């Protein structure tokens, strides 16, 4: 294992410390327990947005803390859910009196820990609503998951709900728009290589030089099947078609197309995937009216990509377009 | 070799096509010859900025085309200089009557081809100035290079010169501020793994599981030496100390610190490097007043990172802070 780390048990702390130093204009890092909040938290009268999950998916979630997106991110250990005793104080830290929305990817540990944290916050008089992201169409139930997994669609949920909170929507409305994103977003990914969790020291799964895993989870959980290595357009088809089918994509639909890198794939390859995914969408009569291409929800140094499609309406488009100022997303 | 490509001979064309589709609000892609221009090029009365080089370093350079940065980017084949017959029309396409600045990384092929293109443009009555970026302190002369190589410091040159052009500086002034950045920026990188150029099909060099290359070039050119794998802080020291020494960093200096990923290294690790590089700079009495962390000048899927330090003054800081709207850098 070759990694730019000092000590596997310290990598999350040191990385988040570096993140806080690099982006002190945007965020503050709290320690014991560890979480990241907007520099100006809590914002009085605004619904607070908290997300979090295992580390190793950077820039998710800390990279999305800032104006127009998250108020706090709670990083767990690598590929390990954050604990309620970190989520609860993060929730309290961003409560501006209008309640807090928890955005949770659908993994059993995350669900349980955010639930416990919400109960703790409730006991302190903070109203909490929860939205669960489960955009991965690859498999029903999986390692760590009952039902579908939450993957790169989380970026869209956090961006759009963040914009709704920023314009002053109340908690029920922010939760409602977040649910609408969840209902309209689907993803599927592929792994060309495994990744190595620092404290494990060996790759999370084995993949020969000749095969790839279609439908991979962001922790290397098994997907739909392994196939021999194939041209990018063929792989893109295997990702995009199930996404379009599951979404019930219809002619005339306006969509956001997100091609997300798993961390170790060159940007040039992501644009090759984007090119064909866009053609497939247009082949169904959809219009790609918004796009995002890059590493947003990663799996450490895994090579691979995922395709996410969000069906847009006028309000979702306007909220996507609204200003955002975070380390990883800014316009 | 596992890559998300269709055909090694088509990967640059397909990737740039995808890039153009994803960012049609910012850029236009011209083909035969292939180059990328600002959607609104030429901008009347503004100095045009053209850069380019071998592909495989994305988002450099096309990702930096847009308002406040480059007017055109000319992508060569993977790790191969673009030809004069592409650079010359790109130069003509962005000439708004105020002349054009070529920003060239110091590789023999790039130097020669940009020189020839400048002569062609001159014959067409377009005034061209050239600035050569040579920020890599690792080695004097190298594979493909006489003198120092141009690496991640190129981002700072393009951003700052782009801001000067955008505010209306004339060609001599834009060239002068670009030279000032070159004079004040230094970089050094490390490779933990090699990368594979698609048309080659095998890794560009060999590195055992136990060793890393200090001072690597962005095409995998040899660096200063190979050492056994070491903790991140130690590696960061080996990169940052020569940069500070060569720059003659003094107490009280204000700097921009750029920690750049080589493409295959997780963002979390780049922040671990940033944390220690910042401490080292502060240990010399410098103040890190601006920061950038991420994949900006990559080597395909190479694992590794580079540390770039730019000594700032008030004008360079203001130009760095000026608005920029490109695919890869935006504020």
């Amino acid at each position: 294992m070759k990694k730019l780390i000092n000590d596997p048990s310290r990598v999350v702390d040191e990385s988040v410390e570096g993140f806080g130093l690099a982006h002190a204009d945007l965020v503050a890092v709290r320690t014991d327990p560890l979480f990241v909040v907007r520099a100006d938290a809590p914002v009085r009268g605004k619904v607070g947005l908290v997300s979090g999950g295992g580390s190793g998916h950077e820039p998710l979630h800390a990279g999305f803390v800032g104006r127009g997106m998250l108020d706090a991110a709670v990083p767990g250990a690598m590929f390990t859910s954050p604990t309620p005793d970190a989520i609860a104080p993060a929730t309290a830290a961003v409560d501006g009196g209008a309640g807090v929305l928890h955005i949770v990817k659908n993994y059993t540990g995350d669900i349980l820990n955010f639930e416990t944290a919400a109960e703790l916050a409730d006991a302190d008089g903070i109203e909490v609503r929860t939205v669960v992201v489960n955009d991965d169409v690859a498999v029903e139930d999986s390692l760590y998951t009952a039902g579908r997994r939450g993957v790169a669609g989380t970026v869209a949920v956090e961006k759009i709900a963040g914009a709704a909170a920023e314009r002053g929507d109340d908690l029920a409305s922010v939760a409602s728009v977040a649910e609408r994103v969840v209902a309209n977003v689907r993803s599927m990914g592929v792994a060309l290589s495994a990744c190595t969790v620092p404290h494990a020291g060996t790759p999370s799964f084995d993949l020969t030089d000749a095969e790839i895993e279609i439908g991979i989870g962001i922790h290397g959980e098994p997907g739909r099947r392994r196939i021999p290595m194939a041209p990018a357009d063929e792989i893109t088809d295997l990702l995009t078609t199930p996404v379009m089918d599951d979404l019930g994509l219809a002619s005339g639909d306006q969509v956001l197309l997100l091609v997300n890198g798993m961390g170790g794939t060159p940007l040039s390859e992501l644009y090759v995937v984007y090119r064909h995914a866009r053609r497939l969408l247009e082949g169904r009569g959809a219009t790609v009216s918004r796009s995002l291409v890059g590493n947003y929800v990663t799996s450490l140094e895994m090579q691979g990509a995922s395709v996410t499609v969000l069906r847009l309406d006028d309000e979702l488009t306007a909220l996507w377009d609204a200003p955002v100022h975070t380390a990883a997303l800014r316009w």
Side-chain angles (χ1 to χ4, degrees), chain A:
Chain A
M1 176 182 69
K2 288 198 282 192
K3 288 179 176 290
L4 289 168
I5 64 174
N6 293 300
D7 173 349
S9 72
R10 291 273 307 147
V11 57
V12 172
D13 289 336
E14 291 182 356
S15 178
V16 174
E17 182 187 340
F19 179 83
L21 292 168
H23 306 292
D25 53 329
L26 295 175
V27 302
V29 173
R30 308 279 176 89
T31 52
D32 298 315
L34 183 71
F35 59 91
V36 177
V37 293
R38 265 174 75 152
D40 58 352
V43 181
R44 184 61 31 203
K46 189 185 85 72
V47 172
L49 263 65
V50 178
S51 192
S55 292
H57 307 299
E58 290 70 25
L60 187 82
H61 296 272
F64 302 129
V65 172
R67 187 168 49 80
M69 213 160 164
L70 298 179
D71 294 84
V74 192
M78 286 286 173
F79 290 5
T80 303
S81 299
T83 53
D85 68 333
I87 303 166
T91 303
V94 304
D95 177 39
V100 174
L101 183 70
H102 283 176
I103 299 175
V104 186
K105 301 193 301 303
N106 190 32
Y107 299 97
T108 309
D110 291 31
I111 297 286
L112 288 173
N113 290 348
F114 270 91
E115 200 168 271
T116 304
E119 288 163 8
L120 293 169
D122 182 70
D124 287 339
I126 303 169
E127 190 184 2
V128 176
R129 293 278 297 265
T130 300
V131 58
V132 175
V133 186
N134 59 355
D135 54 314
D136 188 348
V137 304
V139 291
E140 285 293 334
D141 302 336
S142 166
L143 210 57
Y144 320 126
T145 323
R148 290 178 168 182
R149 300 176 295 221
V151 291
T154 309
V155 177
V157 178
E158 295 181 355
K159 170 65 185 81
I160 288 173
E166 202 73 39
R167 75 176 174 189
D169 284 13
D170 64 17
L171 182 57
S173 303
V174 175
S176 165
V177 82
E179 293 289 2
R180 204 156 94 240
V181 178
V182 171
N184 286 286
V185 69
R186 302 289 188 278
S187 302
M188 191 155 146
V190 62
L192 276 59
S193 74
C195 59
T196 299
V197 177
H199 63 254
T202 54
S204 51
F205 60 98
D206 290 315
L207 209 50
T208 70
D209 280 351
E211 60 183 2
I212 60 176
E213 175 103 17
I214 298 286
I216 194 77
I218 56 171
H219 311 91
E221 310 95 303
R224 286 188 173 187
R225 57 197 165 111
R226 293 191 174 188
I227 63 166
M229 186 60 203
D233 286 359
E234 196 176 308
I235 295 168
T236 302
D237 207 336
L238 291 172
L239 303 182
T240 311
T241 299
V243 162
M244 295 189 300
D245 289 346
D246 197 281
L247 200 53
L249 197 76
S251 185
D253 280 350
Q254 302 271 330
V255 301
L256 162 74
L257 170 57
L258 161 59
V259 174
N260 173 61
M262 292 299 194
T265 283
L267 190 55
S268 53
E269 298 180 26
L270 300 182
Y271 282 111
V272 172
V273 171
Y274 174 89
R275 168 182 171 273
H276 192 62
R278 183 173 171 126
R279 285 184 177 179
L280 294 168
L281 288 160
E282 290 173 348
R284 293 261 181 127
T287 299
V288 178
S289 59
R290 297 293 182 275
S291 301
L292 191 66
V293 182
N295 293 311
Y296 294 100
V297 180
T298 62
S299 300
L300 293 166
E301 72 282 3
M302 184 188 283
Q303 293 188 336
S306 59
V307 172
T308 296
V309 177
L310 167 64
R311 186 193 286 111
L312 292 167
D313 56 32
D314 289 349
E315 187 188 25
L316 296 184
T317 302
L319 291 168
W320 176 261
D321 288 345
V324 59
H325 189 171
T326 69
L329 216 59
R330 183 167 172 183
W331 56 69

